[in-house]
């Protein structure tokens, strides 16, 4: 089946690293995504990782993928107050119908304290 | 700015009514997706169109329908509205059948 799970809340101090975790059930997932949603706004694509990769780094963001455990994480280095938002993990797999529909987790609210 | 536009930004209507939400994808993108975000259901995929044809269906109610026009913009029609249809409706687009999806700002629908 298709299911994506995330913890609901994370609080960190400004300057610390944040690690947001996600687990998924569909082993045929081809792409895994991280989106950011600020209050009253749409979803901003932060980064993604292809399922044959273990790690991807993009400036302050590091994505780690453990395929065996179906575990994905997003690390934000030097977290700033502007990083406060809801972070969504999403998976997609083309399947037999070759579609890109995304299955989202519930979202993790990141609170950054000054 | 993702390049995906959605109108209107807000919509307030009554139960039993019908509304149309509009989406224009990023220039060059052929796929349009519709998602519903609500407090109890989270973000749910509704439907995908690719180059004018329906490509995938998710948890979309029979009261809801969508289409993609030759200029690639899409409309989501919601009819016989119920209180539970109140939600944020997002449109996203991608270049091909799959891949990175870029989201619009959403339409907030309130059914009274």
């Amino acid at each position: 089946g298709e299911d994506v799970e995330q913890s609901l809340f994370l609080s960190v101090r400004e300057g610390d690293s944040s690690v947001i975790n996600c687990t998924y059930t569909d082993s045929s997932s081809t792409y895994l995504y991280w989106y950011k949603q600020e209050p009253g706004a749409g979803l901003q694509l932060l980064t993604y990782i292809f399922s044959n990769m273990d790690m991807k780094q993009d400036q302050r963001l590091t994505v780690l993928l453990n395929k065996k455990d179906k575990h994905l994480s997003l690390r934000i280095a030097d977290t700033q107050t502007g990083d406060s938002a809801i972070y969504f993990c999403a998976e997609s797999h083309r399947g037999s119908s070759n579609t890109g529909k995304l299955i989202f987790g519930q979202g993790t609210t990141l609170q950054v304290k000054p | 700015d993702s390049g995906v536009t959605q109108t209107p930004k807000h919509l307030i209507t009554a139960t039993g009514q019908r509304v149309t939400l509009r989406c224009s994808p990023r220039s060059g993108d052929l796929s349009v997706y519709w998602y519903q975000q609500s407090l109890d259901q989270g973000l749910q995929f509704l439907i995908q169109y690719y180059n004018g044809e329906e490509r995938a269906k998710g948890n979309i109610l029979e009261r809801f329908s969508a289409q993609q026009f030759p200029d690639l913009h899409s409309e989501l029609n919601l009819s016989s509205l119920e209180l539970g249809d109140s939600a944020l409706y997002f449109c996203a687009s991608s270049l091909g059948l799959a891949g990175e999806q870029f989201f619009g700002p959403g339409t907030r629908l309130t059914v009274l």
Side-chain angles (χ1 to χ4, degrees), chain A residues 6-12 20 37 83-88 106-112:
Chain A
Q6 296 178 243
S7 52
L8 295 181
F9 186 78
L10 176 66
S11 180
V12 300
I20 302 171
Q37 185 178 31
D83 295 324
S84 293
I86 303 175
Y87 290 79
F88 289 94
Q106 315 94 301
T108 299
T109 298
L110 175 64
Q111 179 190 68
V112 183

Side-chain angles (χ1 to χ4, degrees), chain A residues 73-112:
Chain A
S73 67
L74 174 70
R75 179 177 179 270
I76 305 172
D78 187 27
T79 314
Q80 302 297 307
T81 53
D83 295 324
S84 293
I86 303 175
Y87 290 79
F88 289 94
C89 164
E91 65 166 351
S92 87
H93 67 101
R94 290 197 171 188
S96 56
S97 57
N98 200 19
T99 156
K101 74 173 188 180
L102 295 178
I103 307 297
F104 283 89
Q106 315 94 301
T108 299
T109 298
L110 175 64
Q111 179 190 68
V112 183

Side-chain angles (χ1 to χ4, degrees), chain B residues 25-64:
Chain B
R26 289 189 322 157
S27 178
D29 283 0
L30 297 178
S31 273
V32 168
Y33 309 77
W34 287 97
Y35 293 87
Q36 180 194 60
Q37 185 178 34
S38 62
L39 281 172
D40 53 344
Q41 297 286 328
L43 266 162
Q44 299 271 318
F45 168 75
L46 295 178
I47 197 162
Q48 177 192 2
Y49 278 83
Y50 175 77
N51 206 18
E53 294 192 5
E54 184 185 301
R55 194 69 204 184
K57 242 177 177 174
N59 300 323
I60 187 165
L61 299 169
E62 282 192 20
R63 300 183 284 109
F64 296 1

